[in-house]
């Protein structure tokens, strides 16, 4: 087709075989019709460190998660947010449908947090976390809470929630009178940061993508 002069790149007929293009920028036409690649869906997991904010563009030039992601030919977006000081599992994708569903309360996607707080978390506190507590005038949905360790100084609690309210974990502990010293999301929809170093990312495995789709009734 190139030899027949039917192929244009950015409006110019190409004559050279093997000419290289950048598929994210260059416009390729055959017989005057634009050729598009089937869009590629990308799914990444970042183990976010604290001190990076979740935005793709910060006018105030603070440290953002973008600095930790690879350069990709497509634009990806975070699936929900983590506070600047929160660490752990954060997904990025250009699959808008899956992202919206994962964030929608209807699908009750499970998020597991490790929460380090100041002081000794009593069993009655765990019960309250599990039953629901009033945060911003509304009761939190039932959660699962267990102690990983506790002493007079600090406690580490594993909390499983499936709501997605802003600052919800910090607010739940605050409502019980605890100061959160460290917050890390270890799992999102069953995708875990196990084995992924802080500040690093990886692609999701195909089975993980399939599982997230199943969780949100997205089957192709
Ligand atoms: N809950 C919080 O309080 N902060 C987060 O970053 C995520 C959940």
């Amino acid at each position: 087709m190139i030899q027949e002069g039917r192929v244009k790149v950015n409006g110019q007929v190409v004559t050279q075989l093997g000419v290289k293009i950048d598929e994210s920028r260059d416009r390729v036409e055959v017989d005057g019709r634009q050729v598009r690649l089937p869009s590629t869906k990308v799914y990444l997991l970042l183990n976010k460190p604290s001190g990076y904010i979740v935005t793709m563009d910060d006018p105030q030039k603070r440290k953002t998660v973008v600095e930790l992601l690879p350069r990709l030919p497509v634009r990806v977006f975070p699936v929900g947010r983590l506070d600047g000081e929160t660490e752990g599992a954060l997904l990025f994708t250009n699959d808008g449908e899956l992202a919206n569903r994962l964030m929608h309360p209807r699908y009750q996607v499970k998020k597991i947090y490790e929460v380090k707080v100041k002081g000794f978390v009593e069993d009655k506190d765990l019960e309250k976390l599990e039953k629901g507590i009033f945060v911003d005038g509304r009761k939190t949905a039932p959660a699962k809470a267990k102690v990983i360790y506790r002493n007079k100084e600090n406690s580490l609690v594993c909390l499983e929630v499936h709501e997605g309210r802003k600052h919800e974990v910090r607010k739940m502990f605050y409502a019980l009178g605890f100061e959160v010293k460290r917050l890390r999301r270890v799992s999102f929809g069953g995708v875990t940061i196990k084995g992924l170093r802080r500040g690093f990312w990886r692609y999701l495995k195909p089975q993980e993508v399939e599982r997230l789709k199943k969780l949100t009734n997205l089957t192709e």
Side-chain angles (χ1 to χ4, degrees):
M1 286 191 283
I2 290 174
Q3 284 176 329
E4 288 166 9
R6 294 164 58 198
V7 179
K8 281 186 190 165
V9 175
N10 300 327
Q12 302 279 319
V13 173
V14 287
T15 47
Q16 195 194 339
L17 290 174
V19 69
K20 297 273 187 296
I21 57 134
D22 176 344
E23 66 205 40
S24 67
R25 276 173 217 189
D26 294 322
R27 181 187 165 92
V28 180
E29 289 163 69
V30 174
D31 299 333
R33 298 181 114 222
Q34 186 173 4
V35 179
R36 289 176 203 270
L37 286 176
S39 67
T40 354
K41 301 260 175 73
V42 177
Y43 307 89
L44 304 177
L45 171 71
L46 174 70
N47 183 355
K48 179 192 170 302
S50 78
Y52 285 79
I53 59 164
V54 182
T55 173
M56 299 314 274
D57 179 31
D58 182 46
Q60 292 175 46
K61 301 286 167 237
R62 290 169 296 181
K63 283 200 286 188
T64 73
V65 287
V66 179
E67 294 169 40
L68 304 168
L69 297 176
R71 280 175 64 88
L72 295 164
V74 291
R75 260 174 92 82
V76 292
F77 298 92
V79 179
R81 304 211 169 269
L82 289 176
D83 302 335
E85 296 316 308
T86 304
E87 305 169 22
L90 184 61
L91 299 181
F92 288 83
T93 184
N94 59 343
D95 183 341
E97 184 58 33
L98 180 64
N100 285 338
R101 289 183 179 220
L102 288 171
M103 289 184 277
H104 197 287
R106 180 191 307 157
Y107 301 103
Q108 308 218 329
V109 173
K110 225 195 270 175
K111 295 119 191 160
I112 303 176
Y113 292 90
E114 279 178 11
V115 197
K116 187 175 175 192
V117 300
K118 198 163 171 230
F120 190 94
V121 172
E122 307 273 357
D123 290 347
K124 67 172 175 19
D125 296 315
L126 300 176
E127 274 171 37
K128 287 181 191 162
L129 289 167
E130 296 208 331
K131 285 197 185 130
I133 30 188
F134 278 92
V135 162
D136 298 331
R138 196 154 57 88
K139 207 169 177 197
T140 56
K144 281 188 200 157
K146 58 175 194 272
V147 166
I148 301 174
Y149 70 72
R150 58 186 167 187
N151 56 48
K152 268 194 306 208
E153 273 87 55
N154 302 303
S155 306
L156 186 65
V157 175
C158 180
L159 185 72
E160 182 185 307
V161 294
H162 46 69
E163 282 187 296
R165 286 158 68 178
K166 208 170 171 199
H167 310 309
E168 67 176 335
V169 177
R170 286 176 202 277
K171 285 182 171 175
M172 285 167 85
F173 279 89
Y174 188 72
L176 295 173
F178 291 101
E179 179 195 327
V180 171
K181 296 176 86 177
R182 213 178 81 192
L183 180 56
R184 173 161 57 175
R185 183 157 70 189
V186 291
S187 168
F188 181 97
V191 178
T192 81
I193 51 163
K194 219 165 127 197
L196 181 61
R197 282 167 59 197
R198 192 179 296 150
F200 285 72
W201 64 272
R202 65 169 173 85
Y203 288 110
L204 293 199
K205 299 178 194 122
Q207 309 91 280
E208 291 176 315
V209 176
E210 279 318 302
R211 208 170 31 174
L212 292 175
K213 287 185 177 173
K214 265 218 185 109
L215 282 179
T216 56
N217 297 342
L218 258 188
T219 34
E220 269 150 35

